[in-house]
Amino acid sequence: MQTESPPLAAATATQVARIVVAGHVDHGKSTLIGRLMYDLGLLHQSKIDDVVAASSRRGVAPEWSYVLDSLQEERDQAVTIDTTRIWFTHRQRRYTIIDAPGHRQFLANMLSGASEADAAILVVDAAAGIGEQTLRHAYLLAFLGIRHVIVALNKIDLLDDARVRYGELSAQLRDALRRTPPVAVIPVSASRGDNVAARAATTPWYDGPTIVDALEAVRRVAPPVQRPLRIAVQDVYRRDGARIVAGTVAGGTVASGDPLVLLPADVPVVAHRLVRWPDGDVAGAAAGETIGVVLDGERFAGRGDVLAPPLDRPQVAQRLVLEMFWVDVRGPLQNERLRLKRGTQDVPVVVDGTPSAYDIEEARTLGAAGDAQHNIVTLQVRATSPVVFDRRADDPHGARCVLLRGSRVAAIGFTIDAADASGDGGGPVTLVERERRSGRRAAIVWLTGLSGAGKSTLARAAERELFERGIAVSVVDGDLLRSTLNTDLAFSDEDRAESVRRAAAVAGILAETGHVVIVSLISPFVSDRARARDAARHPFYEVYVNAPLATCEARDPKGLYRRAREGAIRSFTGIDSPYEPPASPDLELRTDTLSVPEAAAELVAFVDGVTAPSR
């Protein structure tokens, strides 16, 4: 709800200081804001008349909270339900004041309002003292990373000895706010305006700042445009033959020609062109803008990917440590499946280990997360694919995330770190860790077929496509083996069996490092391929690259068939040595009827299916 005009178009984000006002219900947040506006001369006379008339009808002195509490329900109950914002200018500076609700059930609104603030005013009733919501809001301000906290010790006009009470509460508050030490504790009377805009004669013992003085000292946190570049990919379009990666610039700036990295695939790219509709090509874009990026070359990108500078990139991991404010009734359970959303990423996750909850009213760790609602929960999750994220310590804005239980928001909070980096410690890197990191299961995809059937061509085409998508993939090619590892082997049955054994060993070593290994080898005999499968120690898939002998002989790209027909090569498969086709291959590609792109696409789709992480 906006109670005044929004910021002027000329005002930039860097000129606006955003202040959230929080605190226990009935401690006087809205009254302080209304009084602040009145004292600064920001209210039209008609608004002042409305407040006076409404207060008179209720038989009370002018109640300045009515300036903000526009909902009748709020006015009747004298509480704030929604998050109210006002904008104003004072001494050449723009301010946004966010009035956050204090009731426990409206904490999500409070978090929404406070999450973008540069500073906070925590209002405390001097007579009532520190309430449960005071502690809760103070903890949440620290949770959100708000470091500039001003305490307004309100209603001092109701105390018999304000000076003594101020001393007692100041000490208690500084102890309670250890995570966010206040920059000032100011004795005020919001209803009378004491120490709001002008120093009060009723507190001669206080020599600190007024509320207005304290606001003027607020320093703006780095605006989005000054943060590292982050473009969250929303979609990819083809227009006039160009592949356009569209997304919102969440932070920083980007210019045409900038070198970038596409994550999580970790592919170096260049922003060849920047496109904005309907303007066409533009030179640059900044935080908050939606932009289309034409990358150099044919790059595979999809929704959820992130473009970032190569030297200031976010983190990528599948196991994450999260700190969340839990809003759902039931806390998280070990091995429970949830969904993690951040930016355009939407990834299924599984809760790893036992989550712990921190009761922010009692200031104690609960151990388990059963009583998590409206408390802080720390948990580890394991994602089914790599997540691109910023750590809260590096960029609280880029670390924000949401956990969903079905379609319902279960918690909102931050990514703290990669669990792998913080919890696994040293020791050899295991295959499981490699697969978690890559988001793919290691496998051996064994292409068999006659010489000239197209095995090497398809293997290289699939390798290129998978590599561009960030998948760890390698090709073990028969021709390369014959010119390196197998220079001592000829074409006898025994030598062919040894060639298959060596190829299987190399493939197994590569698969152990988490790679998807595509083997391209004639491997004509069923028994040899069976031994290769048995020795693999990793998922093994047989792909029959099938083309008739006449077709292969007509292709004869290396002249081997001709030389075999001439007798220069003996025991050549298909001529004077048999080829035993697979009886039931995992995939058969008919290269006499399929084009190379068609067959390669089928092979890539097959690899995609068999190497996808288990769900």
Side-chain angles (χ1 to χ4, degrees):
M1 155 175 52
Q2 298 175 358
T3 58
E4 299 292 337
S5 300
L8 298 174
T12 67
T14 58
Q15 297 171 310
V16 181
R18 300 159 301 181
I19 315 295
V20 63
V21 183
H24 197 287
V25 66
D26 290 339
H27 280 208
K29 298 184 302 298
S30 298
T31 302
L32 177 61
I33 297 171
R35 183 71 198 207
L36 177 68
M37 297 186 68
Y38 174 72
D39 285 355
L40 293 179
L42 302 172
L43 299 181
H44 192 274
Q45 186 58 48
S46 62
K47 176 70 81 174
I48 297 173
D49 293 342
D50 287 344
V51 170
V52 172
S55 302
S56 178
R57 287 195 295 273
R58 288 168 172 77
V60 297
E63 177 49 70
W64 298 108
S65 67
Y66 293 172
V67 174
L68 278 73
D69 294 346
S70 61
L71 296 178
Q72 189 59 44
E73 183 180 357
E74 294 177 359
R75 184 168 297 185
D76 291 342
Q77 298 180 11
V79 298
T80 304
I81 291 176
D82 200 354
T83 299
T84 303
R85 297 165 188 257
I86 60 173
W87 294 270
F88 66 88
T89 300
H90 176 65
R91 294 178 182 171
Q92 308 302 315
R93 190 180 193 189
R94 298 283 292 172
Y95 292 88
T96 299
I97 299 292
I98 307 162
D99 182 20
H103 280 293
R104 182 184 180 112
Q105 56 268 43
F106 302 128
L107 280 172
N109 291 15
M110 184 268 177
L111 280 176
S112 173
S115 63
E116 59 189 66
D118 302 301
I121 300 175
L122 184 63
V123 181
V124 179
D125 186 327
I130 300 173
E132 65 177 45
Q133 291 167 10
T134 306
L135 294 175
R136 186 181 293 272
H137 284 193
Y139 194 94
L140 293 178
L141 294 176
F143 171 68
L144 293 170
I146 298 175
R147 304 301 179 201
H148 196 109
V149 177
I150 304 161
V151 173
L153 205 55
N154 193 23
K155 304 184 184 181
I156 59 166
D157 55 305
L158 302 180
L159 302 176
D160 293 332
D161 192 341
R163 181 176 185 174
V164 173
R165 183 61 170 159
Y166 172 81
E168 294 172 349
L169 278 177
S170 292
Q172 294 175 19
L173 284 164
R174 292 187 186 281
D175 181 61
L177 301 179
R178 291 186 300 275
R179 293 187 66 185
T180 53
V183 296
V185 180
I186 306 173
V188 303
S189 169
S191 60
R192 293 194 319 204
D194 292 355
N195 292 327
V196 175
R199 186 169 301 283
T202 55
T203 57
W205 41 267
Y206 174 73
D207 60 0
T210 65
I211 294 295
V212 171
D213 292 337
L215 290 179
E216 290 177 345
V218 169
R219 293 293 174 263
R220 182 82 160 80
V221 299
V225 74
Q226 294 180 9
R227 297 172 186 150
L229 173 69
R230 303 286 185 264
I231 301 177
V233 176
Q234 294 173 317
D235 214 334
V236 179
Y237 303 94
R238 280 200 176 276
R239 186 172 183 179
D240 298 330
R243 189 179 175 90
I244 302 173
V245 177
T248 299
V249 183
T253 60
V254 61
S256 177
D258 278 356
L260 304 172
V261 61
L262 179 66
L263 298 170
D266 197 14
V267 177
V269 297
V270 174
H272 181 61
R273 291 168 47 209
L274 299 180
V275 182
R276 184 185 296 125
W277 294 275
D279 305 333
D281 284 21
V282 295
E289 296 184 59
T290 299
I291 195 71
V293 184
V294 179
L295 302 175
D296 62 316
E298 279 292 324
R299 308 294 188 180
F300 182 87
R303 181 179 175 83
D305 289 349
V306 174
L307 288 167
L311 300 181
D312 201 356
R313 59 177 65 192
Q315 308 286 315
V316 178
Q318 283 189 255
R319 292 181 61 202
L320 308 170
V321 180
L322 308 179
E323 191 171 81
M324 311 296 290
F325 179 76
W326 208 265
V327 296
D328 206 2
V329 174
R330 179 172 60 79
L333 302 174
Q334 185 175 4
N335 295 323
E336 182 179 3
R337 292 179 180 272
L338 302 169
R339 281 171 44 221
L340 174 70
K341 291 193 68 172
R342 60 170 314 283
T344 57
Q345 293 178 298
D346 188 341
V347 184
V349 296
V350 176
V351 178
D352 255 351
T354 303
S356 65
Y358 182 82
D359 188 321
I360 55 180
E361 286 181 5
E362 301 293 333
R364 64 186 180 92
T365 300
L366 299 175
D371 188 21
Q373 190 178 33
H374 299 154
N375 285 315
I376 303 297
V377 173
T378 301
L379 71 163
Q380 292 189 12
V381 296
R382 174 168 33 91
T384 57
S385 57
V387 177
V388 183
F389 68 99
D390 285 289
R391 301 187 311 158
R392 183 172 60 180
D394 299 330
D395 180 6
H397 181 84
R400 294 174 186 171
C401 61
V402 174
L403 281 175
L404 299 176
R405 180 176 274 145
S407 59
R408 189 173 65 252
V409 174
I412 54 180
F414 300 92
T415 47
I416 303 302
D417 208 340
D420 287 340
S422 63
D424 285 342
V429 180
T430 67
L431 176 61
V432 172
E433 289 177 89
R434 294 180 190 277
E435 290 182 331
R436 284 175 178 168
R437 176 71 58 86
S438 69
R440 289 282 167 176
R441 292 190 301 157
I444 298 173
V445 181
W446 192 282
L447 274 56
T448 177
L450 291 170
S451 177
K455 301 180 298 300
S456 296
T457 300
L458 295 181
R460 294 300 182 189
E463 179 192 35
R464 171 56 62 185
E465 175 68 17
L466 295 169
F467 174 79
E468 294 296 348
R469 291 160 51 184
I471 297 173
V473 57
S474 298
V475 169
V476 176
D477 185 78
D479 288 340
L480 180 60
L481 289 177
R482 185 163 292 281
S483 64
T484 54
L485 186 63
N486 294 343
T487 54
D488 59 328
L489 301 179
F491 292 95
S492 68
D493 292 353
E494 294 77 12
D495 283 352
R496 288 185 182 278
E498 176 61 14
S499 173
V500 170
R501 188 193 68 79
R502 293 179 185 180
V506 172
I509 292 171
L510 289 171
E512 192 63 32
T513 65
H515 276 223
V516 174
V517 186
I518 304 175
V519 178
S520 169
L521 196 66
I522 295 173
S523 46
F525 303 121
V526 171
S527 58
D528 291 342
R529 297 196 296 268
R531 279 192 286 273
R533 180 189 294 271
D534 293 339
R537 297 181 292 114
H538 297 281
F540 183 100
Y541 303 96
E542 191 175 54
V543 177
Y544 181 25
V545 182
N546 186 5
L549 175 62
T551 301
C552 297
E553 195 167 0
R555 293 171 179 166
D556 201 14
K558 303 165 192 170
L560 297 176
Y561 283 100
R562 177 182 55 77
R563 293 176 61 198
R565 292 292 185 189
E566 292 172 353
I569 302 176
R570 296 190 177 278
S571 300
F572 191 79
T573 301
I575 303 301
D576 56 351
S577 182
Y579 176 78
E580 299 172 354
S584 54
D586 298 291
L587 174 70
E588 181 176 357
L589 298 171
R590 289 297 303 261
T591 60
D592 58 328
T593 57
L594 295 172
S595 67
V596 171
E598 290 171 339
E602 284 196 29
L603 179 57
V604 169
F606 176 79
V607 173
D608 261 339
V610 299
T611 63
S614 301
R615 299 198 180 255

